[in-house]
Amino acid sequence: MGEHRRAGGRRGVSRGLLVLAIAVVVVVALGFLWVLLGDRINEQGKDAAARCVEGDLSVSIVSDPGLAVPLKAVADKYNKTRPTERDRCITIEVRPGDAKVTLDGLTGDWDTASRGQFPAAWIPQSSVWSSQLIAARPDVVDGSPSSLVTSPVVLAIPAAAAEAMDGDVGWIELPTLQRSAKAMDDLGLRGWGELRMAMPVGPQSDATMLAAQAIATEVSRTPSGPLSPEDAASPLVSSTLRAMLASAPATDLGSSESGVRALQQQADPATGSIHAVPITEQQLYAITKDDANSSVVALFPSGPTPMADFPVVEMTGDQVDAAQRDAVGAFIDYVHDPEQISTITSLGFRGAGQLPPATSTVTFPVTPTPMPMPSPEAQNAITEVLTRRS
């Protein structure tokens, strides 16, 4: 006999299929909920960072005084973007600092009462200072310093001597010109006597140290490569630089700027007490940019040109935490943005931004052969010669 169907004439749904369908629905729902939960966690993380759950954090950068003003302007713009690092709200604070004073603090005991917050980074005028810090306290320097901007070293000379000296005077000729009473006569500058080149070693006078490095490089016959520590400490280099320093005319305050002011005020450049002063191109531009007809011009001695490199010395140690180090890196990246770096280069510093228009004193020519940077040991040897008290 045949089997009867259930009422209504339709077969029932398989229990196994029903269970499978329910399982699929549950899995899809769980997956959807997991995605929603992940998005919620991400959003909460972003919200937490935006709220700076770890609090505010001030990040101090001590800068060369000449660079501090435009760098602070960039920092103020950066702070308005509300930067965060490691759930901390960051405020970059740029303040000027004398290089010698800053070096003394970093190599000794940093007194926050008199010096302010311990810096997360230091940007001196040149590697003359970072080399000394690396030698004295390598443990506080995080990695190798990198240049933020540059400025070539020039000689500020009387405009009356520019045509005679331009192209005929190199770094290697300077020692001879300074000690020979007839050397300037040979250039057609009769009545000038020997070259009276000041060599100030006071505040913001890195140009003297850098010029001495260029002279040492030429005297030791190593112009194709960086000055070695052995050549920098050689008797030939030491005696040459000491002789130049001994005969160099003094400047008020021992600064490059005061030497340029003295040049500008001399009634007769031939008989004046100063004929030349090493100075960075940017400093000379800042001093003379408003002069309609300057009595002083920038001379680029022939040979590789020494450069003030404004190194970013990132600090490490117990007084600088990870968020501050990260903040310094992020800020320096921001500074290198073309729009931001132009705030700095518009004042005469060299970088990826546009330079200001040429003046009667500073024309911003291309420097095709920058001097190779000597090692920290070589730079320190030259600094020691010029600053040693005998």
Side-chain angles (χ1 to χ4, degrees):
M1 291 179 65
E3 295 182 355
H4 293 283
R5 294 184 178 181
R6 294 183 179 182
R10 290 178 296 181
R11 296 181 183 274
V13 177
S14 168
R15 180 174 297 177
L17 289 176
L18 183 60
V19 170
L20 179 61
I22 293 172
V24 170
V25 171
V26 170
V27 169
V28 171
L30 288 174
F32 181 69
L33 290 173
W34 182 260
V35 171
L36 287 179
L37 180 61
D39 290 343
R40 180 67 178 273
I41 291 173
N42 287 336
E43 289 300 322
Q44 287 177 341
K46 292 178 182 178
D47 291 343
R51 291 196 302 270
C52 307
V53 294
E54 296 297 326
D56 296 334
L57 182 64
S58 173
V59 179
S60 174
I61 297 178
V62 176
S63 169
D64 169 75
L67 177 64
V69 172
L71 191 61
K72 185 180 184 305
V74 176
D76 290 344
K77 291 179 63 177
Y78 181 69
N79 291 335
K80 290 179 181 178
T81 68
R82 302 177 63 83
T84 60
E85 294 291 342
R86 298 177 183 251
D87 294 344
R88 308 289 295 272
C89 274
I90 301 298
T91 300
I92 300 292
E93 296 182 351
V94 177
R95 66 178 188 272
D98 175 78
K100 181 64 168 61
V101 172
T102 303
L103 178 66
D104 288 345
L106 293 174
T107 55
D109 293 325
W110 187 273
D111 179 24
T112 56
S114 61
R115 302 179 191 274
Q117 181 185 9
F118 188 88
W122 177 33
I123 311 178
Q125 191 176 75
S126 76
S127 291
V128 164
W129 299 102
S130 58
S131 294
Q132 295 178 70
L133 178 59
I134 291 170
R137 289 289 308 276
D139 59 302
V140 302
V141 179
D142 187 17
S144 299
S146 60
S147 175
L148 182 65
V149 288
T150 64
S151 187
V153 174
V154 301
L155 292 184
I157 62 171
E163 185 176 352
M165 297 179 71
D166 191 14
D168 291 319
V169 172
W171 296 107
I172 196 169
E173 278 82 38
L174 295 179
T176 300
L177 288 172
Q178 201 176 29
R179 66 173 178 261
S180 173
K182 294 184 177 182
M184 299 289 276
D185 286 352
D186 294 339
L187 294 175
L189 296 171
R190 300 193 179 280
W192 286 61
E194 72 282 353
L195 176 66
R196 293 186 278 278
M197 187 177 82
M199 298 183 70
V201 292
Q204 281 67 65
S205 294
D206 290 23
T208 297
M209 308 294 183
L210 298 171
Q213 292 176 17
I215 293 167
T217 299
E218 296 284 323
V219 167
S220 61
R221 303 295 180 182
T222 58
S224 61
L227 180 69
S228 70
E230 294 76 20
D231 285 332
S234 68
L236 175 60
V237 167
S238 297
S239 61
T240 298
L241 295 180
R242 287 198 186 100
M244 294 185 70
L245 193 62
S247 61
T251 63
D252 292 339
L253 308 176
S255 70
S256 300
E257 180 177 347
S258 63
V260 172
R261 298 295 187 196
L263 275 173
Q264 292 176 314
Q265 294 167 8
Q266 292 177 156
D268 183 356
T271 60
S273 61
I274 297 177
H275 290 157
V277 184
I279 192 169
T280 68
E281 178 186 65
Q282 190 280 328
Q283 285 176 303
L284 186 59
Y285 170 75
I287 295 169
T288 62
K289 63 184 176 64
D290 295 325
D291 298 344
N293 294 294
S294 180
S295 58
V296 177
V297 298
L299 172 72
F300 282 79
S302 59
T305 302
M307 309 287 286
D309 60 327
F310 296 89
V312 180
V313 186
E314 297 186 34
M315 311 303 295
T316 188
D318 295 340
Q319 299 188 74
V320 183
D321 67 24
Q324 289 175 315
R325 291 195 294 272
D326 290 349
V328 168
F331 173 63
I332 295 302
D333 288 343
Y334 179 83
V335 174
H336 281 296
D337 178 81
E339 180 181 352
Q340 311 311 326
I341 200 71
S342 292
T343 300
I344 300 174
T345 59
S346 65
L347 298 181
F349 297 92
R350 297 203 182 195
Q354 186 173 0
L355 287 164
T359 68
S360 58
T361 297
V362 178
T363 60
F364 300 105
V366 174
T367 53
T369 54
M371 186 184 77
M373 182 72 69
S375 67
E377 295 80 8
Q379 294 199 61
N380 291 343
I382 299 300
T383 301
E384 172 67 16
V385 171
L386 295 184
T387 58
R388 181 187 305 159
R389 295 182 180 180
S390 55

mmCIF file of all heavy atoms in Angstrom, residues 110-128:
data_model
loop_
_atom_site.group_PDB
_atom_site.id
_atom_site.type_symbol
_atom_site.label_atom_id
_atom_site.label_comp_id
_atom_site.label_asym_id
_atom_site.label_seq_id
_atom_site.Cartn_x
_atom_site.Cartn_y
_atom_site.Cartn_z
ATOM 1 N N TRP A 110 72.015 71.226 33.228
ATOM 2 C CA TRP A 110 71.049 72.165 32.645
ATOM 3 C C TRP A 110 70.160 72.721 33.750
ATOM 4 O O TRP A 110 69.408 71.987 34.388
ATOM 5 C CB TRP A 110 70.213 71.465 31.584
ATOM 6 C CG TRP A 110 69.331 72.417 30.837
ATOM 7 C CD1 TRP A 110 68.072 72.822 31.188
ATOM 8 C CD2 TRP A 110 69.648 73.095 29.618
ATOM 9 N NE1 TRP A 110 67.580 73.708 30.273
ATOM 10 C CE2 TRP A 110 68.522 73.898 29.293
ATOM 11 C CE3 TRP A 110 70.759 73.096 28.774
ATOM 12 C CZ2 TRP A 110 68.485 74.675 28.155
ATOM 13 C CZ3 TRP A 110 70.718 73.885 27.638
ATOM 14 C CH2 TRP A 110 69.594 74.666 27.343
ATOM 15 N N ASP A 111 70.242 74.039 33.945
ATOM 16 C CA ASP A 111 69.446 74.715 34.967
ATOM 17 C C ASP A 111 68.191 75.288 34.322
ATOM 18 O O ASP A 111 68.262 76.293 33.600
ATOM 19 C CB ASP A 111 70.278 75.819 35.624
ATOM 20 C CG ASP A 111 69.493 76.591 36.681
ATOM 21 O OD1 ASP A 111 68.521 76.018 37.212
ATOM 22 O OD2 ASP A 111 69.838 77.756 36.955
ATOM 23 N N THR A 112 67.047 74.663 34.564
ATOM 24 C CA THR A 112 65.813 75.123 33.924
ATOM 25 C C THR A 112 65.392 76.508 34.405
ATOM 26 O O THR A 112 64.727 77.239 33.662
ATOM 27 C CB THR A 112 64.673 74.124 34.180
ATOM 28 O OG1 THR A 112 64.524 73.940 35.596
ATOM 29 C CG2 THR A 112 64.970 72.784 33.526
ATOM 30 N N ALA A 113 65.765 76.877 35.611
ATOM 31 C CA ALA A 113 65.383 78.193 36.133
ATOM 32 C C ALA A 113 66.004 79.315 35.314
ATOM 33 O O ALA A 113 65.369 80.347 35.057
ATOM 34 C CB ALA A 113 65.796 78.310 37.598
ATOM 35 N N SER A 114 67.251 79.148 34.885
ATOM 36 C CA SER A 114 67.939 80.202 34.140
ATOM 37 C C SER A 114 67.949 79.968 32.633
ATOM 38 O O SER A 114 68.022 80.922 31.857
ATOM 39 C CB SER A 114 69.385 80.335 34.628
ATOM 40 O OG SER A 114 70.099 79.118 34.421
ATOM 41 N N ARG A 115 67.837 78.700 32.211
ATOM 42 C CA ARG A 115 67.956 78.387 30.787
ATOM 43 C C ARG A 115 66.628 78.001 30.139
ATOM 44 O O ARG A 115 66.538 77.902 28.924
ATOM 45 C CB ARG A 115 68.953 77.241 30.571
ATOM 46 C CG ARG A 115 70.352 77.499 31.108
ATOM 47 C CD ARG A 115 71.238 76.277 30.865
ATOM 48 N NE ARG A 115 72.500 76.353 31.574
ATOM 49 C CZ ARG A 115 73.581 76.957 31.119
ATOM 50 N NH1 ARG A 115 73.543 77.552 29.944
ATOM 51 N NH2 ARG A 115 74.698 76.978 31.824
ATOM 52 N N GLY A 116 65.609 77.756 30.948
ATOM 53 C CA GLY A 116 64.347 77.299 30.401
ATOM 54 C C GLY A 116 64.312 75.782 30.274
ATOM 55 O O GLY A 116 65.210 75.080 30.717
ATOM 56 N N GLN A 117 63.256 75.288 29.657
ATOM 57 C CA GLN A 117 63.058 73.848 29.507
ATOM 58 C C GLN A 117 64.225 73.209 28.753
ATOM 59 O O GLN A 117 64.760 73.781 27.796
ATOM 60 C CB GLN A 117 61.757 73.577 28.760
ATOM 61 C CG GLN A 117 61.429 72.111 28.558
ATOM 62 C CD GLN A 117 60.187 71.912 27.703
ATOM 63 O OE1 GLN A 117 59.658 72.859 27.129
ATOM 64 N NE2 GLN A 117 59.721 70.681 27.617
ATOM 65 N N PHE A 118 64.607 72.010 29.163
ATOM 66 C CA PHE A 118 65.658 71.273 28.456
ATOM 67 C C PHE A 118 65.202 71.062 27.015
ATOM 68 O O PHE A 118 64.083 70.622 26.761
ATOM 69 C CB PHE A 118 65.921 69.933 29.132
ATOM 70 C CG PHE A 118 67.118 69.203 28.595
ATOM 71 C CD1 PHE A 118 68.378 69.431 29.125
ATOM 72 C CD2 PHE A 118 66.987 68.297 27.550
ATOM 73 C CE1 PHE A 118 69.491 68.766 28.627
ATOM 74 C CE2 PHE A 118 68.087 67.628 27.040
ATOM 75 C CZ PHE A 118 69.350 67.861 27.584
ATOM 76 N N PRO A 119 66.048 71.375 26.031
ATOM 77 C CA PRO A 119 65.601 71.296 24.635
ATOM 78 C C PRO A 119 65.494 69.870 24.114
ATOM 79 O O PRO A 119 66.306 69.007 24.446
ATOM 80 C CB PRO A 119 66.690 72.072 23.885
ATOM 81 C CG PRO A 119 67.921 71.888 24.718
ATOM 82 C CD PRO A 119 67.430 71.876 26.149
ATOM 83 N N ALA A 120 64.485 69.642 23.282
ATOM 84 C CA ALA A 120 64.378 68.381 22.557
ATOM 85 C C ALA A 120 65.226 68.431 21.304
ATOM 86 O O ALA A 120 65.545 67.394 20.713
ATOM 87 C CB ALA A 120 62.930 68.101 22.197
ATOM 88 N N ALA A 121 65.614 69.654 20.885
ATOM 89 C CA ALA A 121 66.501 69.833 19.734
ATOM 90 C C ALA A 121 67.231 71.165 19.861
ATOM 91 O O ALA A 121 66.736 72.115 20.477
ATOM 92 C CB ALA A 121 65.723 69.786 18.421
ATOM 93 N N TRP A 122 68.410 71.200 19.274
ATOM 94 C CA TRP A 122 69.248 72.410 19.255
ATOM 95 C C TRP A 122 69.685 72.647 17.823
ATOM 96 O O TRP A 122 70.159 71.733 17.150
ATOM 97 C CB TRP A 122 70.448 72.215 20.170
ATOM 98 C CG TRP A 122 71.436 73.356 20.205
ATOM 99 C CD1 TRP A 122 71.168 74.686 20.068
ATOM 100 C CD2 TRP A 122 72.857 73.258 20.410
ATOM 101 N NE1 TRP A 122 72.316 75.432 20.178
ATOM 102 C CE2 TRP A 122 73.371 74.582 20.390
ATOM 103 C CE3 TRP A 122 73.731 72.190 20.620
ATOM 104 C CZ2 TRP A 122 74.732 74.851 20.548
ATOM 105 C CZ3 TRP A 122 75.083 72.458 20.784
ATOM 106 C CH2 TRP A 122 75.577 73.776 20.756
ATOM 107 N N ILE A 123 69.511 73.898 17.351
ATOM 108 C CA ILE A 123 69.920 74.242 15.990
ATOM 109 C C ILE A 123 70.896 75.416 16.059
ATOM 110 O O ILE A 123 70.499 76.585 15.988
ATOM 111 C CB ILE A 123 68.709 74.610 15.102
ATOM 112 C CG1 ILE A 123 67.615 73.547 15.220
ATOM 113 C CG2 ILE A 123 69.157 74.754 13.638
ATOM 114 C CD1 ILE A 123 66.365 73.855 14.425
ATOM 115 N N PRO A 124 72.195 75.144 16.219
ATOM 116 C CA PRO A 124 73.184 76.227 16.232
ATOM 117 C C PRO A 124 73.468 76.704 14.802
ATOM 118 O O PRO A 124 72.933 76.149 13.828
ATOM 119 C CB PRO A 124 74.416 75.560 16.849
ATOM 120 C CG PRO A 124 74.286 74.133 16.440
ATOM 121 C CD PRO A 124 72.808 73.830 16.411
ATOM 122 N N GLN A 125 74.314 77.721 14.695
ATOM 123 C CA GLN A 125 74.610 78.270 13.369
ATOM 124 C C GLN A 125 75.366 77.276 12.496
ATOM 125 O O GLN A 125 75.180 77.253 11.273
ATOM 126 C CB GLN A 125 75.420 79.566 13.509
ATOM 127 C CG GLN A 125 75.545 80.361 12.218
ATOM 128 C CD GLN A 125 76.279 81.677 12.438
ATOM 129 O OE1 GLN A 125 77.494 81.697 12.598
ATOM 130 N NE2 GLN A 125 75.533 82.772 12.464
ATOM 131 N N SER A 126 76.210 76.471 13.098
ATOM 132 C CA SER A 126 77.002 75.538 12.295
ATOM 133 C C SER A 126 77.416 74.323 13.106
ATOM 134 O O SER A 126 77.238 74.259 14.325
ATOM 135 C CB SER A 126 78.258 76.228 11.750
ATOM 136 O OG SER A 126 79.234 76.370 12.774
ATOM 137 N N SER A 127 78.009 73.366 12.403
ATOM 138 C CA SER A 127 78.486 72.144 13.045
ATOM 139 C C SER A 127 79.713 72.375 13.909
ATOM 140 O O SER A 127 80.193 71.430 14.557
ATOM 141 C CB SER A 127 78.795 71.088 11.976
ATOM 142 O OG SER A 127 77.611 70.634 11.367
ATOM 143 N N VAL A 128 80.235 73.596 13.915
ATOM 144 C CA VAL A 128 81.299 73.939 14.861
ATOM 145 C C VAL A 128 80.854 73.571 16.275
ATOM 146 O O VAL A 128 81.652 73.077 17.091
ATOM 147 C CB VAL A 128 81.641 75.439 14.768
ATOM 148 C CG1 VAL A 128 82.445 75.913 15.966
ATOM 149 C CG2 VAL A 128 82.412 75.720 13.477
#
